[in-house]
Amino acid sequence: MSETVHRDARIPEAMAGQRFDQVAAEIFADFSRERLKAWIKSGDLTLDGARAKPKDKIYGGEQLLLTAVVEDELRFEPQAIDLDIVHEDDAVLVINKPAGLVVHPAAGNPDGTLLNAVLHHCPALASVPRAGIVHRLDKDTTGLMVVAKTLAAQTHLVEQLQARSVSREYDAVVTGVVTSGGRIEAPIGRHPKDRKRQAVTASGKPAVTHYRVTERFRNHTHVRCKLETGRTHQIRVHMAHQRFPLIGDSLYGGRLKLPPGADDDLKDLLRGFPRQALHARKLAFVHPESGQRLEFRVALPDDMLMLLDYLRDDHETMR
């Protein structure tokens, strides 16, 4: 099967100076960079109605026009992987993702991903780019994700994400005592020396995270974070930048700090916590077909509940 896709968009003035392929990848984020680059080269994706090269510079204000045939994602195998489905209808699928599940196949993870799972659950997603996946969670982050089941639904959800009208709220447990909530506005881009990491950098993309305190402990804090933007590793990078790294974060956590006087059970738990303590607890968006605003919430997973219990007991014991 194949489907013809039609998209158009005006490039914001703020993107002036970037390459054509970089701008296309941000505006049409539901398609892979490789696919967009191929469409630019073939003339299916044009700039002000004319063919252009992927590396051509953007001045801002130009019109993007995409008319292309989307072939089935046949290179990805459907796989029978259990899904915790929170909601499903003809247009969308809302999933509570477990820790350890990679969202999209990539080098080092060719299969066994959420994409393989949703292709098995809904074979028609083979004709939707990225099998309907419009946003990601890190491998070891748990919680809510929405998947579009049709091309029209995907387009609608991507537009909502770009307009920042999708509401995403996360639970995180961080090292350090956060005194009050706040707003972090700091651009995020690739780390200049480590390709696996992101960093706050002047050349990065705009990124805004809001956070508030839920519960304080002796040396840690349970916070709620709300994303205004959706950069890679955004909460992890922003909280570490504020010197409140997430418990269990091997990339951004730095040296482990144990509460003085803590018992051995808590020390062992903190030393061995296997992932960043981050959970996508709430997701809200406008349904692509009905126009109704939907809101979903899922409880904390067992590992984070246990972590909070241990921190709470330590806090009470040492008061």
Side-chain angles (χ1 to χ4, degrees):
M1 289 178 61
S2 62
E3 188 169 350
T4 302
V5 58
H6 301 279
R7 302 276 182 89
D8 65 273
R10 186 164 296 280
I11 300 174
E13 302 288 345
M15 289 186 169
Q18 297 186 42
R19 288 167 47 125
F20 181 18
D21 56 353
Q22 292 174 327
V23 168
E26 185 154 350
I27 292 178
F28 299 138
D30 47 331
F31 298 109
S32 69
R33 288 177 180 267
E34 295 77 16
R35 177 173 265 167
L36 288 166
K37 198 168 184 177
W39 283 339
I40 292 171
K41 291 179 177 179
S42 66
D44 293 328
L45 177 54
T46 59
L47 194 63
D48 279 340
R51 293 181 69 150
K53 296 178 181 177
K55 64 180 180 181
D56 284 353
K57 184 184 290 186
I58 293 300
Y59 295 95
E62 297 98 326
Q63 190 76 20
L64 292 180
L65 180 61
L66 172 63
T67 303
V69 175
V70 179
E71 301 292 342
D72 284 3
E73 298 275 21
L74 295 177
R75 59 199 176 99
F76 299 124
E77 287 290 327
Q79 291 178 302
I81 299 169
D82 288 340
L83 292 173
D84 182 0
I85 296 172
V86 176
H87 170 85
E88 183 172 14
D89 57 42
D90 291 340
V92 296
L93 178 66
V94 179
I95 294 165
N96 182 16
K97 189 188 86 66
L101 182 62
V102 174
V103 170
H104 196 279
N109 295 102
D111 55 18
T113 70
L114 179 66
L115 184 145
N116 301 106
V118 298
L119 284 175
H120 182 270
H121 176 75
C122 183
L125 282 171
S127 64
V128 181
R130 297 178 185 262
I133 294 170
V134 295
H135 66 119
R136 300 189 185 195
L137 293 177
D138 297 334
K139 174 184 176 182
D140 288 324
T141 297
T142 57
L144 291 165
M145 288 185 62
V146 60
V147 177
K149 293 178 68 176
T150 67
L151 191 58
Q154 186 181 50
T155 301
H156 198 284
L157 288 169
V158 168
E159 288 172 350
Q160 290 184 59
L161 285 163
Q162 291 173 342
R164 302 183 182 180
S165 61
V166 175
S167 178
R168 291 169 289 172
E169 190 174 282
Y170 294 72
D171 278 299
V173 188
V174 302
T175 299
V177 180
V178 182
T179 56
S180 65
R183 179 178 186 269
I184 307 169
E185 184 171 5
I188 292 176
R190 186 80 69 179
H191 193 285
K193 296 181 180 179
D194 186 349
R195 298 289 295 173
K196 294 181 179 179
R197 300 174 65 193
Q198 302 293 308
V200 170
T201 172
S203 61
K205 296 178 180 178
V208 179
T209 304
H210 303 266
Y211 65 96
R212 68 181 191 274
V213 173
T214 297
E215 189 174 4
R216 294 185 189 89
F217 309 105
R218 286 202 301 136
N219 289 80
H220 299 86
T221 311
H222 176 193
V223 295
R224 291 259 166 88
C225 299
K226 188 173 183 180
L227 292 181
E228 191 172 310
T229 54
R231 307 305 176 200
T232 301
H233 300 171
Q234 180 171 317
I235 292 172
R236 299 165 64 188
V237 172
H238 269 173
M239 295 311 294
H241 182 66
Q242 297 292 100
R243 299 186 178 174
F244 296 115
L246 272 61
I247 288 177
D249 195 335
S250 59
L251 269 184
Y252 305 104
R255 186 174 62 85
L256 177 65
K257 296 178 181 178
L258 298 172
D263 64 27
D264 289 342
D265 288 342
L266 176 57
K267 289 179 180 178
D268 289 344
L269 179 62
L270 291 171
R271 289 191 186 105
F273 202 77
R275 66 180 186 95
Q276 64 269 4
L278 185 62
H279 173 69
R281 66 178 298 270
K282 187 174 83 170
L283 176 67
F285 56 89
V286 174
H287 191 276
E289 292 183 354
S290 71
Q292 179 185 0
R293 188 160 183 84
L294 304 179
E295 182 176 299
F296 303 96
R297 299 170 188 256
V298 288
L300 281 167
D302 289 344
D303 60 349
M304 286 182 66
L305 286 172
M306 182 171 68
L307 175 62
L308 290 171
D309 282 345
Y310 272 62
L311 292 173
R312 198 172 292 121
D313 287 346
D314 171 78
H315 185 71
E316 293 298 323
T317 301
M318 301 299 289
R319 285 178 71 172

